[in-house]
Amino acid sequence: MQTIAAVLRTMGAARPYADSRPLSLETVTLDPPGRDEVLVAIKAAGLCHSDLSVINGDRPRPLPMALGHEAAGVVEALGPGVTDLEIGEHVVMVFMPSCGHCDPCAGGRPALCEPGAAANGKGELLSGGRRLHDAAGALHHHLGCSAFAAHAVVSRRSLVKVDCDLPFEHAALFGCAVLTGVGAVVNTAQVRAGQSVVVIGLGGVGLSSVLGALAAGASPVIAVDLSEDKLALARSLGPVQTVNAADPDAVEQVRALTGGGAEFVFEMAGSVRALEAAWRMTRRGGTTVTAGLPPPEAALAVNIVQLVAEERSLKGSYIGTCVPARDIPRYVALFRQGRLPVDRLLSGSIPLADINAAFDDLAEGRAVRTVVRF
């Protein structure tokens, strides 16, 4: 079949993207779903910094590539072997497919699936190969999804079924921002009620971490960012204290608010400076968690004596250490109960034709989560 997709052919385009237009809307050929694959009609797809980091070259990927990885849609066709989904059901895409058989999957850590990571790195689907083509040849898939498109063929392992009455623009957020942000708090760090939490970087993932900390009963919860608008949004979500990261004494402010440092500090900005600040904001015996993805060459210097003598922990978190089939239904249930108001993170919706300008808003910090509606 033919479909419309946002295709990236060159990384590192000059901003504003509204002028340079790194993403071109192209009519491409989409193969039918193969074994254990599903054709999905995309209804909503969120713009994430993981997309932006491919556009600007911070996270190189094989090109040309059809971008997009945070999405929800409707099942339109099933490949051979798919017996647990039906045409017409609603699904959320997950950007790390899990094979279910490798050591991490067998150990209950599908976010670390080895075949899934290999496929994503090559721009292929989990079952191998590519299903998108133009006149010159095959196009690469972005994280097994390529969701900035009217339709996508993905692995069954990249999908979680959701209720049909969940609005698509809300459902899409659960596939990346919510899984990553909330999961970092409740899965990676296992924050308990009454423990202190700091979140640095208030994009969609960071604000989801704030929501996760509030839902877990953390206290105090402190949000740190450069944007006063985002700090105001964080305060509106619940009992949240805020610190502007631009203040010269931001670290000292956080340490004062937490009595010497927080038990858990989450770095969600994808910045070495932010991670260094997070480490300094963490108390003796505390844990610093990072889900930010800076350029691959970025490195952090840690004082090893401090790490040992203060029994500190530094942990990475990928997709919130999630089990998607377990966690997405749980987080959706919390959303329906009003305990996880992820709809507050939406900055607006746009047609696919406006996607380049919308990435300008994301790059400039003017948006938290903009959603493309189809």
Side-chain angles (χ1 to χ4, degrees):
M1 66 178 293
Q2 302 292 109
T3 194
I4 301 294
V7 179
L8 180 72
R9 296 188 176 275
T10 305
M11 290 180 287
R15 286 178 20 211
Y17 297 134
D19 295 334
S20 61
R21 305 188 67 79
L23 292 173
S24 57
L25 304 190
E26 302 180 15
T27 299
V28 299
T29 300
L30 183 62
D31 295 339
R35 173 161 292 277
D36 298 324
E37 294 175 355
V38 180
L39 172 66
V40 178
I42 306 297
K43 298 300 181 182
L47 275 64
C48 174
H49 272 88
S50 293
D51 306 305
L52 179 61
S53 65
V54 181
I55 295 171
N56 66 21
D58 282 350
R59 301 288 297 174
R61 296 282 178 181
L63 299 180
M65 174 173 279
L67 285 193
H69 68 282
E70 180 186 82
V74 178
V75 174
E76 282 207 348
L78 303 172
V82 180
T83 59
D84 57 347
L85 286 177
E86 296 182 4
I87 293 172
E89 290 185 320
H90 293 195
V91 288
V92 169
M93 291 187 175
V94 177
F95 64 90
M96 173 56 78
S98 52
C99 71
H101 305 295
C102 67
D103 285 348
C105 285
R109 304 188 70 182
L112 300 181
C113 176
E114 292 167 347
N120 281 359
K122 292 186 289 186
E124 297 182 350
L125 298 188
L126 182 62
S127 52
R130 293 168 283 175
R131 310 292 176 265
L132 286 164
H133 310 272
D134 63 10
L139 303 173
H140 295 89
H141 297 269
H142 186 212
L143 300 175
C145 298
S146 291
F148 295 146
H151 295 83
V153 167
V154 303
S155 167
R156 171 63 184 90
R157 296 285 189 164
S158 295
L159 299 174
V160 174
K161 184 171 68 172
V162 294
D163 293 337
C164 290
D165 62 344
L166 183 65
F168 289 113
E169 63 270 29
H170 299 161
L173 303 184
F174 287 88
C176 177
V178 178
L179 267 187
T180 303
V182 177
V185 173
V186 301
N187 292 334
T188 309
Q190 299 182 10
V191 172
R192 298 189 298 273
Q195 293 183 309
S196 53
V197 165
V198 174
V199 178
I200 302 176
L202 302 181
V205 172
L207 284 165
S208 292
S209 293
V210 171
L211 290 175
L214 292 171
S219 180
V221 176
I222 301 169
V224 181
D225 199 272
L226 294 167
S227 166
E228 285 295 340
D229 289 340
K230 291 180 178 178
L231 293 172
L233 175 56
R235 290 192 295 271
S236 75
L237 298 175
V240 178
Q241 301 177 69
T242 57
V243 172
N244 194 305
D247 292 348
D249 62 343
V251 172
E252 287 71 24
Q253 289 184 52
V254 168
R255 293 184 67 84
L257 290 169
T258 55
E263 290 165 276
F264 295 96
V265 182
F266 297 87
E267 185 278 313
M268 302 301 190
S271 158
V272 173
R273 289 184 62 186
L275 185 53
E276 290 172 342
W279 180 258
R280 293 166 58 203
M281 292 174 183
T282 307
R283 73 184 315 142
R284 292 167 60 89
T287 301
T288 309
V289 178
T290 177
L293 288 171
E297 66 275 9
L300 176 72
V302 173
N303 185 298
I304 297 174
V305 171
Q306 187 181 40
L307 178 70
V308 174
E310 297 184 6
E311 290 195 351
R312 302 273 288 275
S313 298
L314 176 61
K315 302 188 70 173
S317 177
Y318 193 55
I319 324 180
T321 317
C322 73
V323 180
R326 175 198 70 190
D327 292 341
I328 287 180
R330 288 179 176 179
Y331 300 161
V332 170
L334 290 173
F335 169 63
R336 292 187 181 280
Q337 296 164 16
R339 297 172 59 193
L340 204 65
V342 301
D343 56 313
R344 299 286 306 281
L345 309 186
L346 287 171
S347 303
S349 61
I350 60 166
L352 185 61
D354 293 343
I355 192 168
N356 286 295
F359 272 113
D360 283 323
D361 291 337
L362 184 64
E364 295 293 335
R366 295 189 294 264
V368 175
R369 264 304 188 272
T370 301
V371 172
V372 177
R373 287 301 308 265
F374 294 87

